[in-house]
Amino acid sequence: NASTRATFTQYKYTMPPPRFPSRIDPLSFPVFGISWWAEPAEGGRSIYAYCGGGGSAKTGVNNSIVIFGERHGPRQISTGDQVGIALHIYQNPISKQLWLLVALGNTARRYPLDVEEEDDDDTDKSQVVEMGEESCVAVAANSIASQVALGCESGKVLVFASTDEQFTPGRPLYTLNSHTKAVCALDFAYSTEGRLISSAKDGTACISNDGKLIGGLRCSVADPSQPPPRRPPQIMVRGCAFGDMAGKLCYTVASSRRGKAYLAQWEEQADEKGQTRFVCVSKIPC
């Protein structure tokens, strides 16, 4: 009836205002990546950044990185005709220097955060890694800021040593070739600095230790309440992250081109021969 339709319309198109300190910020361009860094102590600082834009086509929508929470106020960085796909804020725990890592076309760029800038200084202070024919689509840094991982459109993952003085001094420490399609997400375990998880558009997530593959996760989007599809769907594992300090627990978000997305929880277990494998222990639609 009319009352039901009105109620449905209200819940479908309106959102209650968030309670302080939450808020809703209007955006001037499509967002492709977002990152949030915060100090765990009470009253600690919080910095977040997002990137995106209209892409390389002349749409009239600028390509930018926007940063909030720096001591000198918000700032916006133009990325020219390249659109940022992913970014990650991290801190060197020794020097306390904050960095913003951005996947930008066939480069990865690193910007220093909380650096006082002169009003008339328009120079680009970013450090860059040129990736040749590879397109950078995912980025991550480990908890001690000694390694950065760059995911590629080809499915490769390049892992470099890194310092405050040099973004990536020299060649990659190693290259992972575990994926056959574009990488979607990367994450390092917090207390096991060389343990890395990657997910991709090939329907898998992979876990490695210092370049050695230790686990392959084949994700599923099958609905147990429905009959199996006639043809297997193309699955994309759009997100991945570790859920504990040591990297023995992880999460993936997978979906096909149509239908529901599923959040899955995986745990590291040892089989009868003592070999490590990751087992899916729960999966819910999201």
Side-chain angles (χ1 to χ4, degrees):
N1 56 30
S3 176
T4 302
R5 288 196 298 271
T7 302
F8 175 77
T9 302
Q10 176 185 1
Y11 280 100
K12 184 177 180 181
Y13 294 108
T14 63
M15 178 184 294
R19 292 182 295 178
F20 181 83
S22 301
R23 67 178 188 268
I24 299 174
D25 290 337
L27 305 178
S28 60
F29 55 79
V31 171
F32 290 93
I34 188 167
S35 181
W36 178 27
W37 174 90
E39 292 175 321
E42 183 177 353
R45 300 177 55 222
S46 179
I47 298 177
Y48 72 93
Y50 57 87
C51 62
S56 58
K58 295 182 178 179
T59 61
V61 179
N62 294 329
N63 299 315
S64 299
I65 303 165
V66 179
I67 308 165
F68 289 91
E70 291 184 284
R71 289 189 172 91
H72 51 75
R75 68 170 157 147
Q76 183 166 338
I77 303 170
S78 172
T79 57
D81 61 356
Q82 296 287 347
V83 62
I85 298 296
L87 42 68
H88 176 64
I89 300 171
Y90 67 101
Q91 184 183 49
N92 185 319
I94 305 300
S95 68
K96 304 302 182 184
Q97 174 62 52
L98 285 162
W99 298 100
L100 175 63
L101 186 59
V102 185
L104 195 64
N106 62 346
T107 68
R109 290 184 177 270
R110 186 175 77 165
Y111 297 84
L113 299 181
D114 266 353
V115 176
E116 294 294 340
E117 296 180 321
E118 299 294 337
D119 292 340
D120 58 351
D121 185 2
D122 294 328
T123 59
D124 185 351
K125 293 182 172 60
S126 66
Q127 301 165 339
V128 62
V129 175
E130 299 286 349
M131 301 181 65
E133 297 181 357
E134 296 282 2
S135 294
C136 187
V137 292
V139 293
N142 69 359
S143 61
I144 59 174
S146 64
Q147 294 181 12
V148 295
L150 310 178
C152 304
E153 184 73 27
S154 66
K156 293 181 180 180
V157 177
L158 311 178
V159 179
F160 292 84
S162 185
T163 66
D164 281 354
E165 291 72 31
Q166 288 184 290
F167 179 14
T168 55
R171 299 168 62 87
L173 294 173
Y174 55 86
T175 299
L176 297 170
N177 295 287
S178 305
H179 296 292
T180 58
K181 293 185 179 180
V183 176
C184 294
L186 297 165
D187 188 37
F188 279 98
Y190 186 82
S191 63
T192 311
E193 292 84 8
R195 179 165 288 203
L196 176 71
I197 183 172
S198 59
S199 66
K201 294 181 179 180
D202 59 6
T204 68
C206 296
I207 300 171
S208 61
N209 257 345
D210 295 321
K212 180 182 178 181
L213 182 67
I214 62 169
L217 318 181
R218 174 65 63 176
C219 297
S220 169
V221 295
D223 187 341
S225 65
Q226 300 293 327
R230 294 181 179 178
R231 292 177 14 181
Q234 179 183 343
I235 299 173
M236 294 175 280
V237 189
R238 301 178 184 274
C240 63
F242 286 113
D244 65 342
M245 302 284 280
K248 296 180 181 295
L249 175 70
C250 62
Y251 296 89
T252 58
V253 176
S255 68
S256 59
R257 295 189 179 276
R258 296 181 180 179
K260 299 177 181 178
Y262 286 87
L263 172 66
Q265 180 183 12
W266 306 76
E267 287 183 355
E268 181 180 337
Q269 299 179 0
D271 61 19
E272 296 177 352
K273 297 181 180 179
Q275 295 181 335
T276 297
R277 64 192 183 106
F278 282 80
V279 177
C280 182
V281 295
S282 68
K283 185 176 71 172
I284 59 173
C286 59

